[in-house]
Amino acid sequence: MLTHLILHPPLVPTARLVARRLPYATLSTAQPTRRFLSSTSTPSSSKPQPEDSKHSFQPHPSDTEGTLLSGVFSPGAPPPNSRPWSDWVLHHPVYNQAQLDSIKVIRHERKTLSDKIASSMVAISRKGFDLVTGYKHSSPEDARKVMEKEGLTELPLAELRKRGFVMDVPQWMMRILFLETIAGVPGMVAGMCRHLQSLRLMKRDGGWITTLLAEAENERMHLLTFMKISNPGWFFRFIILGAQGVYCNLFFLAYLVSPNSAHRFVGYLEEEAVITYTQIIEEMERGNIPEWEKGGQPVPQIAKDYWRLGEDATMLDLVKAVRADEAGHRFVNHTLANLDTKNDFNPFGLRHPDATMQGTLPGISREESLRWIKEVEDEFKKGRGAAKEGVGAEVMGREAEVRKEGARA
């Protein structure tokens, strides 16, 4: 059944397909869920969602009746200045507050030689990235030690920035913009490679291409959002031109040689992205970026449209949404790296994991992926009462254990 769906899909967006084919009992979760959209202006469904189901997709406008935006989202219809309801982007996640707060800094275990090489390449890239963007973020403990040595109890923010203990907004924006121009490359290159392979071999792809292209577009939307806040000069753009030219070609060659290693590399790269945005969130919560506090820098309208943020959304809400996206890319790429890239179906082609799972696990194994596909197939076959147990329940159980351990800590 699943093989037939992937090899002969109907001509409708994936999110719409799932919303129509699967009953609502299988589309939500007792835990906060990650919703994938067919467009950024599609409202959430107002139909009641059962408490015992595990997954959620964002229905298409034609499948909904009214709107219901919860969590960090404002109730009611989209803001008056929002874009019209149209499919202008690929499917992407919209989060509630619990999901945004569930994201953890985690690392995939370096087991094989390929893992270690990929991790080392990311470490080298990180050092070059830090050098180019002038990254000099220090921990609060470092600043505290210096103040104790000088007999000071505290230093004003301007002095902390001057001494390099805290980064200012232009420094953070340079780092973010550089990160997003690079992060948008792998998904597009990998999707292009698999697209050309599908044409060359004259066969279906198994659901990989859409996920990879959606990842690339999601990263590009990050860039477009932050470009509304800061527009870099010609020198920065020249650096991006060179970096993209080198990185794009190197990743293209790497994907031709070893797609698994390339996905592992991206997984490790996304781990660093989650760390970066976590540091920004921590700095904002400490009050070290007052320019982005409520009443300061407004959230761009493009971000409100894309993530369904309310009119009163803050920069903290925006950064948390971006971090959740990066955690999703981390999860997906580490999972894809575990698969047989020539023969395995993409387990997330028709149903995507809950955002909380993605934020607390570094991916799932090939065996779990195969069971995940089987579970989706069972749901399509049996409908409302299908797949009461399976890898989704199993992995969500692991996720629940992670949350309990975090609560004890």
Side-chain angles (χ1 to χ4, degrees):
M1 177 67 175
L2 181 64
T3 302
H4 175 78
L5 284 172
I6 293 182
L7 295 183
H8 306 283
L11 298 178
V12 295
T14 298
R16 187 173 185 177
L17 166 69
V18 178
R20 285 183 167 181
R21 295 291 298 275
L22 293 181
Y24 275 94
T26 64
L27 294 183
S28 67
T29 174
Q31 300 297 332
T33 57
R34 180 172 191 165
R35 299 174 182 267
F36 271 72
L37 309 182
S38 56
S39 77
T40 63
S41 51
T42 307
S44 300
S45 171
S46 61
K47 297 182 180 181
Q49 305 285 323
E51 294 294 326
D52 60 346
S53 50
K54 302 183 293 300
H55 306 282
S56 176
F57 274 80
Q58 184 72 22
H60 192 269
S62 62
D63 302 321
T64 63
E65 298 175 0
T67 64
L68 178 61
L69 302 182
S70 58
V72 297
F73 317 115
S74 295
N81 295 327
S82 181
R83 301 178 188 275
W85 293 2
S86 59
D87 291 346
W88 66 285
V89 296
L90 297 174
H91 60 270
H92 65 281
V94 172
Y95 310 99
N96 61 34
Q97 191 63 56
Q99 292 169 331
L100 295 178
D101 294 335
S102 70
I103 308 303
K104 306 294 182 184
V105 173
I106 52 178
R107 293 189 178 276
H108 182 275
E109 184 180 356
R110 281 67 170 164
K111 296 180 179 179
T112 66
L113 178 61
S114 177
D115 290 350
K116 294 177 182 178
I117 293 175
S119 179
S120 298
M121 292 298 294
V122 169
I124 294 172
S125 301
R126 169 73 187 252
K127 290 182 179 179
F129 177 43
D130 291 348
L131 179 64
V132 170
T133 60
Y135 182 76
K136 52 183 179 180
H137 184 271
S138 300
S139 66
E141 290 72 21
D142 294 336
R144 192 175 300 110
K145 290 178 182 178
V146 171
M147 287 189 292
E148 290 177 355
K149 186 177 181 179
E150 297 180 4
L152 302 173
T153 56
E154 62 177 308
L155 287 174
L157 180 59
E159 186 66 20
L160 290 172
R161 288 177 170 178
K162 182 179 179 181
R163 296 193 182 198
F165 293 120
V166 175
M167 291 172 62
D168 57 21
V169 172
Q171 290 172 319
W172 279 121
M173 286 306 307
M174 180 179 292
R175 185 170 183 81
I176 290 172
L177 292 174
F178 194 93
L179 170 65
E180 298 302 345
T181 58
I182 297 300
V185 171
M188 181 59 66
V189 172
M192 178 193 70
C193 288
R194 297 194 67 94
H195 173 75
L196 295 178
Q197 175 180 269
S198 177
L199 298 177
R200 186 171 63 253
L201 300 180
M202 291 178 282
K203 68 177 186 178
R204 299 298 180 102
D205 179 63
W208 289 61
I209 295 174
T210 301
T211 295
L212 295 171
L213 295 184
E215 175 187 313
E217 184 179 71
N218 181 252
E219 298 286 9
R220 186 175 67 89
M221 291 302 295
H222 295 174
L223 176 65
L224 295 179
T225 294
F226 287 107
M227 285 288 292
K228 293 292 185 179
I229 299 174
S230 176
N231 195 358
W234 67 268
F235 181 71
F236 184 86
R237 293 172 182 267
F238 179 76
I239 293 176
I240 294 300
L241 178 64
Q244 187 183 86
V246 172
Y247 181 53
C248 181
N249 286 283
L250 288 178
F251 189 83
F252 171 71
L253 294 175
Y255 203 85
L256 293 180
V257 174
S258 177
N260 296 84
S261 298
H263 282 296
R264 186 70 74 204
F265 174 86
V266 177
Y268 291 139
L269 189 66
E270 297 294 353
E271 289 179 6
E272 298 299 327
V274 172
I275 291 174
T276 292
Y277 285 111
T278 298
Q279 290 173 338
I280 295 175
I281 290 170
E282 291 174 349
E283 287 294 273
M284 295 178 71
E285 291 174 342
R286 294 188 192 111
N288 289 337
I289 312 181
E291 297 90 341
W292 286 359
E293 292 179 356
K294 189 171 184 179
Q297 172 66 49
V299 174
Q301 186 63 44
I302 188 175
K304 294 178 180 179
D305 292 340
Y306 190 70
W307 285 284
R308 293 298 177 280
L309 301 177
E311 282 300 296
D312 59 346
T314 65
M315 285 296 294
L316 184 61
D317 296 327
L318 170 59
V319 175
K320 285 186 175 182
V322 174
R323 181 181 66 167
D325 284 347
E326 304 294 4
H329 303 326
R330 174 187 65 190
F331 181 92
V332 169
N333 278 279
H334 277 315
T335 298
L336 296 181
N338 295 331
L339 304 181
D340 180 347
T341 58
K342 294 183 179 180
N343 301 308
D344 287 347
F345 295 131
N346 170 20
F348 313 129
L350 291 179
R351 189 181 72 191
H352 213 281
D354 176 82
T356 304
M357 181 198 302
Q358 294 184 132
T360 54
L361 296 175
I364 57 178
S365 67
R366 182 170 184 260
E367 292 71 22
E368 289 172 323
S369 297
L370 295 177
R371 295 203 302 275
W372 183 281
I373 293 174
K374 182 61 167 59
E375 182 181 341
V376 175
E377 183 177 10
D378 288 343
E379 290 190 5
F380 273 92
K381 286 181 178 179
K382 300 178 182 179
R384 185 178 299 271
K388 293 299 183 182
E389 297 180 357
V391 65
E394 175 184 334
V395 180
M396 287 299 288
R398 288 165 52 193
E399 168 209 324
E401 293 178 2
V402 172
R403 286 202 305 270
K404 288 180 181 178
E405 291 178 1
R408 296 192 195 101

